[in-house]
Amino acid sequence: MHWLYIFLGGGLGAASRYAVASGVQQLAANTRLHKFPVGILACNLLGSFVIGLIIGFMAVRHQESWARLHPFAVAGFLGSFTTFSTFALDTHKLFGETPLLAIVNLAASVLGSLAAVWLGFKAANTLFL
């Protein structure tokens, strides 16, 4: 049954990533950020925050019903909502065009995602204790 939850969550996550990334990138189209992959960065940061929130909530509540949500929400939805391969491709393209922006993307994505997981976990501990 876990495979079905992962499959359903993955489909919803991929469609959501496309919608969010495209929408955010379109918002940046007429700004100085038009060449920067802000859409994928937004998905990766948001997904990192949400995974921290979910895992933090599960750690606080220790509820079996939430543990069953893990395959759908974490492995499925968030696994396909966030994307390392697109981040890598965007960074590769930036290195060819503007190496400084590639370095900014690396730092913002890696450090930002780690900070977002930490913030999500702390938020869960604060909200659900």
PDB file of all heavy atoms in Angstrom, residues 93-119:
ATOM      1  N   LYS A  93      24.034  25.508 -15.982  1.00  0.00           N
ATOM      2  CA  LYS A  93      23.788  26.549 -16.993  1.00  0.00           C
ATOM      3  C   LYS A  93      24.314  27.897 -16.520  1.00  0.00           C
ATOM      4  O   LYS A  93      24.905  28.651 -17.297  1.00  0.00           O
ATOM      5  CB  LYS A  93      22.292  26.659 -17.297  1.00  0.00           C
ATOM      6  CG  LYS A  93      21.742  25.508 -18.095  1.00  0.00           C
ATOM      7  CD  LYS A  93      20.245  25.692 -18.303  1.00  0.00           C
ATOM      8  CE  LYS A  93      19.610  24.537 -19.004  1.00  0.00           C
ATOM      9  NZ  LYS A  93      18.138  24.692 -19.118  1.00  0.00           N
ATOM     10  N   LEU A  94      24.083  28.205 -15.249  1.00  0.00           N
ATOM     11  CA  LEU A  94      24.561  29.480 -14.711  1.00  0.00           C
ATOM     12  C   LEU A  94      26.087  29.571 -14.740  1.00  0.00           C
ATOM     13  O   LEU A  94      26.642  30.650 -14.995  1.00  0.00           O
ATOM     14  CB  LEU A  94      24.053  29.690 -13.282  1.00  0.00           C
ATOM     15  CG  LEU A  94      22.600  30.116 -13.140  1.00  0.00           C
ATOM     16  CD1 LEU A  94      22.191  30.131 -11.671  1.00  0.00           C
ATOM     17  CD2 LEU A  94      22.367  31.486 -13.759  1.00  0.00           C
ATOM     18  N   PHE A  95      26.778  28.479 -14.464  1.00  0.00           N
ATOM     19  CA  PHE A  95      28.240  28.505 -14.521  1.00  0.00           C
ATOM     20  C   PHE A  95      28.722  28.881 -15.912  1.00  0.00           C
ATOM     21  O   PHE A  95      29.717  29.579 -16.056  1.00  0.00           O
ATOM     22  CB  PHE A  95      28.839  27.151 -14.102  1.00  0.00           C
ATOM     23  CG  PHE A  95      29.197  27.079 -12.657  1.00  0.00           C
ATOM     24  CD1 PHE A  95      28.573  26.156 -11.837  1.00  0.00           C
ATOM     25  CD2 PHE A  95      30.154  27.926 -12.099  1.00  0.00           C
ATOM     26  CE1 PHE A  95      28.895  26.076 -10.489  1.00  0.00           C
ATOM     27  CE2 PHE A  95      30.478  27.856 -10.756  1.00  0.00           C
ATOM     28  CZ  PHE A  95      29.848  26.935  -9.945  1.00  0.00           C
ATOM     29  N   GLY A  96      28.003  28.438 -16.944  1.00  0.00           N
ATOM     30  CA  GLY A  96      28.377  28.789 -18.311  1.00  0.00           C
ATOM     31  C   GLY A  96      28.085  30.237 -18.665  1.00  0.00           C
ATOM     32  O   GLY A  96      28.776  30.833 -19.489  1.00  0.00           O
ATOM     33  N   GLU A  97      27.070  30.818 -18.039  1.00  0.00           N
ATOM     34  CA  GLU A  97      26.653  32.187 -18.363  1.00  0.00           C
ATOM     35  C   GLU A  97      27.190  33.213 -17.378  1.00  0.00           C
ATOM     36  O   GLU A  97      27.742  34.232 -17.772  1.00  0.00           O
ATOM     37  CB  GLU A  97      25.125  32.266 -18.391  1.00  0.00           C
ATOM     38  CG  GLU A  97      24.478  31.376 -19.429  1.00  0.00           C
ATOM     39  CD  GLU A  97      22.973  31.261 -19.237  1.00  0.00           C
ATOM     40  OE1 GLU A  97      22.407  31.960 -18.379  1.00  0.00           O
ATOM     41  OE2 GLU A  97      22.372  30.442 -19.950  1.00  0.00           O
ATOM     42  N   THR A  98      26.975  32.961 -16.094  1.00  0.00           N
ATOM     43  CA  THR A  98      27.339  33.911 -15.046  1.00  0.00           C
ATOM     44  C   THR A  98      27.810  33.125 -13.822  1.00  0.00           C
ATOM     45  O   THR A  98      27.001  32.761 -12.961  1.00  0.00           O
ATOM     46  CB  THR A  98      26.127  34.792 -14.658  1.00  0.00           C
ATOM     47  OG1 THR A  98      25.484  35.242 -15.844  1.00  0.00           O
ATOM     48  CG2 THR A  98      26.543  35.979 -13.828  1.00  0.00           C
ATOM     49  N   PRO A  99      29.093  32.840 -13.736  1.00  0.00           N
ATOM     50  CA  PRO A  99      29.596  32.011 -12.641  1.00  0.00           C
ATOM     51  C   PRO A  99      29.243  32.532 -11.241  1.00  0.00           C
ATOM     52  O   PRO A  99      28.969  31.736 -10.345  1.00  0.00           O
ATOM     53  CB  PRO A  99      31.111  32.015 -12.855  1.00  0.00           C
ATOM     54  CG  PRO A  99      31.272  32.242 -14.326  1.00  0.00           C
ATOM     55  CD  PRO A  99      30.147  33.172 -14.687  1.00  0.00           C
ATOM     56  N   LEU A 100      29.206  33.827 -11.062  1.00  0.00           N
ATOM     57  CA  LEU A 100      28.859  34.369  -9.748  1.00  0.00           C
ATOM     58  C   LEU A 100      27.433  33.994  -9.357  1.00  0.00           C
ATOM     59  O   LEU A 100      27.173  33.620  -8.206  1.00  0.00           O
ATOM     60  CB  LEU A 100      29.031  35.892  -9.718  1.00  0.00           C
ATOM     61  CG  LEU A 100      28.728  36.566  -8.374  1.00  0.00           C
ATOM     62  CD1 LEU A 100      29.633  36.022  -7.276  1.00  0.00           C
ATOM     63  CD2 LEU A 100      28.867  38.062  -8.489  1.00  0.00           C
ATOM     64  N   LEU A 101      26.489  34.039 -10.302  1.00  0.00           N
ATOM     65  CA  LEU A 101      25.118  33.627 -10.014  1.00  0.00           C
ATOM     66  C   LEU A 101      25.043  32.136  -9.704  1.00  0.00           C
ATOM     67  O   LEU A 101      24.225  31.699  -8.899  1.00  0.00           O
ATOM     68  CB  LEU A 101      24.184  33.960 -11.178  1.00  0.00           C
ATOM     69  CG  LEU A 101      23.711  35.399 -11.280  1.00  0.00           C
ATOM     70  CD1 LEU A 101      22.758  35.555 -12.462  1.00  0.00           C
ATOM     71  CD2 LEU A 101      23.050  35.861 -10.000  1.00  0.00           C
ATOM     72  N   ALA A 102      25.893  31.340 -10.336  1.00  0.00           N
ATOM     73  CA  ALA A 102      25.926  29.903 -10.039  1.00  0.00           C
ATOM     74  C   ALA A 102      26.344  29.678  -8.589  1.00  0.00           C
ATOM     75  O   ALA A 102      25.758  28.849  -7.883  1.00  0.00           O
ATOM     76  CB  ALA A 102      26.881  29.190 -10.988  1.00  0.00           C
ATOM     77  N   ILE A 103      27.323  30.419  -8.133  1.00  0.00           N
ATOM     78  CA  ILE A 103      27.776  30.295  -6.743  1.00  0.00           C
ATOM     79  C   ILE A 103      26.686  30.766  -5.782  1.00  0.00           C
ATOM     80  O   ILE A 103      26.445  30.127  -4.751  1.00  0.00           O
ATOM     81  CB  ILE A 103      29.102  31.061  -6.544  1.00  0.00           C
ATOM     82  CG1 ILE A 103      30.210  30.362  -7.341  1.00  0.00           C
ATOM     83  CG2 ILE A 103      29.466  31.168  -5.069  1.00  0.00           C
ATOM     84  CD1 ILE A 103      31.477  31.159  -7.487  1.00  0.00           C
ATOM     85  N   VAL A 104      26.005  31.843  -6.134  1.00  0.00           N
ATOM     86  CA  VAL A 104      24.891  32.330  -5.307  1.00  0.00           C
ATOM     87  C   VAL A 104      23.795  31.262  -5.243  1.00  0.00           C
ATOM     88  O   VAL A 104      23.231  30.989  -4.176  1.00  0.00           O
ATOM     89  CB  VAL A 104      24.330  33.666  -5.846  1.00  0.00           C
ATOM     90  CG1 VAL A 104      23.027  34.029  -5.167  1.00  0.00           C
ATOM     91  CG2 VAL A 104      25.358  34.770  -5.679  1.00  0.00           C
ATOM     92  N   ASN A 105      23.483  30.634  -6.376  1.00  0.00           N
ATOM     93  CA  ASN A 105      22.466  29.581  -6.404  1.00  0.00           C
ATOM     94  C   ASN A 105      22.878  28.393  -5.538  1.00  0.00           C
ATOM     95  O   ASN A 105      22.052  27.836  -4.807  1.00  0.00           O
ATOM     96  CB  ASN A 105      22.202  29.131  -7.839  1.00  0.00           C
ATOM     97  CG  ASN A 105      20.993  28.229  -7.946  1.00  0.00           C
ATOM     98  OD1 ASN A 105      19.961  28.471  -7.333  1.00  0.00           O
ATOM     99  ND2 ASN A 105      21.116  27.183  -8.737  1.00  0.00           N
ATOM    100  N   LEU A 106      24.131  27.995  -5.610  1.00  0.00           N
ATOM    101  CA  LEU A 106      24.628  26.901  -4.770  1.00  0.00           C
ATOM    102  C   LEU A 106      24.444  27.227  -3.286  1.00  0.00           C
ATOM    103  O   LEU A 106      23.892  26.428  -2.524  1.00  0.00           O
ATOM    104  CB  LEU A 106      26.107  26.644  -5.044  1.00  0.00           C
ATOM    105  CG  LEU A 106      26.438  25.773  -6.234  1.00  0.00           C
ATOM    106  CD1 LEU A 106      27.914  25.874  -6.580  1.00  0.00           C
ATOM    107  CD2 LEU A 106      26.070  24.334  -5.952  1.00  0.00           C
ATOM    108  N   ALA A 107      24.904  28.401  -2.898  1.00  0.00           N
ATOM    109  CA  ALA A 107      24.827  28.788  -1.482  1.00  0.00           C
ATOM    110  C   ALA A 107      23.382  28.939  -1.030  1.00  0.00           C
ATOM    111  O   ALA A 107      22.998  28.432   0.037  1.00  0.00           O
ATOM    112  CB  ALA A 107      25.595  30.091  -1.256  1.00  0.00           C
ATOM    113  N   ALA A 108      22.566  29.629  -1.827  1.00  0.00           N
ATOM    114  CA  ALA A 108      21.168  29.855  -1.440  1.00  0.00           C
ATOM    115  C   ALA A 108      20.403  28.542  -1.352  1.00  0.00           C
ATOM    116  O   ALA A 108      19.602  28.344  -0.433  1.00  0.00           O
ATOM    117  CB  ALA A 108      20.491  30.802  -2.440  1.00  0.00           C
ATOM    118  N   SER A 109      20.643  27.636  -2.282  1.00  0.00           N
ATOM    119  CA  SER A 109      19.915  26.365  -2.301  1.00  0.00           C
ATOM    120  C   SER A 109      20.338  25.442  -1.162  1.00  0.00           C
ATOM    121  O   SER A 109      19.487  24.915  -0.436  1.00  0.00           O
ATOM    122  CB  SER A 109      20.125  25.660  -3.642  1.00  0.00           C
ATOM    123  OG  SER A 109      19.559  26.414  -4.691  1.00  0.00           O
ATOM    124  N   VAL A 110      21.623  25.248  -1.003  1.00  0.00           N
ATOM    125  CA  VAL A 110      22.100  24.306   0.012  1.00  0.00           C
ATOM    126  C   VAL A 110      21.896  24.867   1.414  1.00  0.00           C
ATOM    127  O   VAL A 110      21.262  24.237   2.267  1.00  0.00           O
ATOM    128  CB  VAL A 110      23.577  23.919  -0.234  1.00  0.00           C
ATOM    129  CG1 VAL A 110      24.112  23.076   0.903  1.00  0.00           C
ATOM    130  CG2 VAL A 110      23.712  23.181  -1.565  1.00  0.00           C
ATOM    131  N   LEU A 111      22.436  26.055   1.660  1.00  0.00           N
ATOM    132  CA  LEU A 111      22.313  26.640   3.004  1.00  0.00           C
ATOM    133  C   LEU A 111      20.866  27.005   3.320  1.00  0.00           C
ATOM    134  O   LEU A 111      20.400  26.800   4.446  1.00  0.00           O
ATOM    135  CB  LEU A 111      23.224  27.857   3.136  1.00  0.00           C
ATOM    136  CG  LEU A 111      24.721  27.569   2.987  1.00  0.00           C
ATOM    137  CD1 LEU A 111      25.523  28.863   3.015  1.00  0.00           C
ATOM    138  CD2 LEU A 111      25.205  26.589   4.039  1.00  0.00           C
ATOM    139  N   GLY A 112      20.159  27.519   2.329  1.00  0.00           N
ATOM    140  CA  GLY A 112      18.754  27.880   2.533  1.00  0.00           C
ATOM    141  C   GLY A 112      17.891  26.661   2.841  1.00  0.00           C
ATOM    142  O   GLY A 112      17.024  26.709   3.713  1.00  0.00           O
ATOM    143  N   SER A 113      18.123  25.557   2.137  1.00  0.00           N
ATOM    144  CA  SER A 113      17.336  24.341   2.389  1.00  0.00           C
ATOM    145  C   SER A 113      17.637  23.755   3.765  1.00  0.00           C
ATOM    146  O   SER A 113      16.733  23.308   4.469  1.00  0.00           O
ATOM    147  CB  SER A 113      17.612  23.295   1.301  1.00  0.00           C
ATOM    148  OG  SER A 113      17.092  23.743   0.064  1.00  0.00           O
ATOM    149  N   LEU A 114      18.901  23.758   4.157  1.00  0.00           N
ATOM    150  CA  LEU A 114      19.244  23.283   5.500  1.00  0.00           C
ATOM    151  C   LEU A 114      18.597  24.158   6.571  1.00  0.00           C
ATOM    152  O   LEU A 114      18.047  23.657   7.553  1.00  0.00           O
ATOM    153  CB  LEU A 114      20.767  23.262   5.685  1.00  0.00           C
ATOM    154  CG  LEU A 114      21.506  22.167   4.921  1.00  0.00           C
ATOM    155  CD1 LEU A 114      23.017  22.404   4.990  1.00  0.00           C
ATOM    156  CD2 LEU A 114      21.159  20.794   5.454  1.00  0.00           C
ATOM    157  N   ALA A 115      18.642  25.469   6.363  1.00  0.00           N
ATOM    158  CA  ALA A 115      18.004  26.387   7.313  1.00  0.00           C
ATOM    159  C   ALA A 115      16.490  26.188   7.331  1.00  0.00           C
ATOM    160  O   ALA A 115      15.862  26.245   8.395  1.00  0.00           O
ATOM    161  CB  ALA A 115      18.351  27.834   6.960  1.00  0.00           C
ATOM    162  N   ALA A 116      15.895  25.929   6.177  1.00  0.00           N
ATOM    163  CA  ALA A 116      14.443  25.741   6.103  1.00  0.00           C
ATOM    164  C   ALA A 116      14.010  24.474   6.832  1.00  0.00           C
ATOM    165  O   ALA A 116      12.983  24.462   7.520  1.00  0.00           O
ATOM    166  CB  ALA A 116      13.987  25.708   4.641  1.00  0.00           C
ATOM    167  N   VAL A 117      14.778  23.386   6.708  1.00  0.00           N
ATOM    168  CA  VAL A 117      14.456  22.161   7.454  1.00  0.00           C
ATOM    169  C   VAL A 117      14.531  22.444   8.951  1.00  0.00           C
ATOM    170  O   VAL A 117      13.643  22.062   9.713  1.00  0.00           O
ATOM    171  CB  VAL A 117      15.411  21.003   7.073  1.00  0.00           C
ATOM    172  CG1 VAL A 117      15.283  19.842   8.051  1.00  0.00           C
ATOM    173  CG2 VAL A 117      15.125  20.526   5.659  1.00  0.00           C
ATOM    174  N   TRP A 118      15.583  23.109   9.371  1.00  0.00           N
ATOM    175  CA  TRP A 118      15.753  23.443  10.786  1.00  0.00           C
ATOM    176  C   TRP A 118      14.594  24.315  11.285  1.00  0.00           C
ATOM    177  O   TRP A 118      14.029  24.059  12.345  1.00  0.00           O
ATOM    178  CB  TRP A 118      17.092  24.147  11.004  1.00  0.00           C
ATOM    179  CG  TRP A 118      17.351  24.521  12.426  1.00  0.00           C
ATOM    180  CD1 TRP A 118      17.829  23.716  13.417  1.00  0.00           C
ATOM    181  CD2 TRP A 118      17.127  25.801  13.019  1.00  0.00           C
ATOM    182  NE1 TRP A 118      17.918  24.412  14.601  1.00  0.00           N
ATOM    183  CE2 TRP A 118      17.494  25.699  14.380  1.00  0.00           C
ATOM    184  CE3 TRP A 118      16.663  27.020  12.535  1.00  0.00           C
ATOM    185  CZ2 TRP A 118      17.402  26.771  15.256  1.00  0.00           C
ATOM    186  CZ3 TRP A 118      16.573  28.083  13.412  1.00  0.00           C
ATOM    187  CH2 TRP A 118      16.935  27.956  14.751  1.00  0.00           C
ATOM    188  N   LEU A 119      14.221  25.334  10.499  1.00  0.00           N
ATOM    189  CA  LEU A 119      13.107  26.214  10.885  1.00  0.00           C
ATOM    190  C   LEU A 119      11.791  25.447  10.959  1.00  0.00           C
ATOM    191  O   LEU A 119      10.988  25.663  11.871  1.00  0.00           O
ATOM    192  CB  LEU A 119      12.969  27.377   9.899  1.00  0.00           C
ATOM    193  CG  LEU A 119      13.988  28.482  10.030  1.00  0.00           C
ATOM    194  CD1 LEU A 119      13.864  29.457   8.851  1.00  0.00           C
ATOM    195  CD2 LEU A 119      13.821  29.226  11.342  1.00  0.00           C
TER     196      LEU A 119
END
